[in-house]
Amino acid sequence: MNGIRYKQKIAKLRYKDYILQLHQQGKSYSEITKLVNKRLKHTNLNITLSRTTIYNIVKKYKQITGQTK
């Protein structure tokens, strides 16, 4: 696992469900970012996900499901 882009993609896939679960619980994007990066810190990926990346994951989910809020 050399490339940063590859590591980010793996992290997004691995934590997508967790991010969506936190969003549905009403957590803010900054809280979600903090919690996800705290979990990522203890993995061998050695990366963090930005607030924008997390926002885009939630946005895609909303578009797929047709949710407005």
Side-chain angles (χ1 to χ4, degrees):
M1 294 194 322
N2 299 356
I4 292 173
R5 300 272 185 218
Y6 177 75
K7 290 179 181 182
Q8 286 178 335
K9 191 171 191 172
I10 293 296
K12 282 192 248 179
L13 289 171
R14 190 180 292 173
Y15 290 98
K16 183 173 95 172
D17 292 334
Y18 181 62
I19 291 167
L20 295 174
Q21 178 186 16
L22 290 173
H23 178 71
Q24 289 172 347
Q25 291 175 2
K27 302 275 186 194
S28 69
Y29 290 111
S30 58
E31 289 175 317
I32 295 171
T33 304
K34 192 183 305 181
L35 292 169
V36 170
N37 287 333
K38 188 175 180 182
R39 282 193 176 196
L40 279 169
K41 186 178 182 182
H42 300 292
T43 66
N44 62 350
L45 294 175
N46 297 325
I47 63 158
T48 59
L49 294 179
S50 69
R51 184 179 177 278
T52 306
T53 302
I54 290 172
Y55 174 78
N56 286 333
I57 290 170
V58 173
K59 184 178 173 185
K60 280 184 184 179
Y61 170 75
K62 286 181 180 180
Q63 287 176 344
I64 290 170
T65 61
Q67 293 181 356
T68 55
K69 279 193 168 184

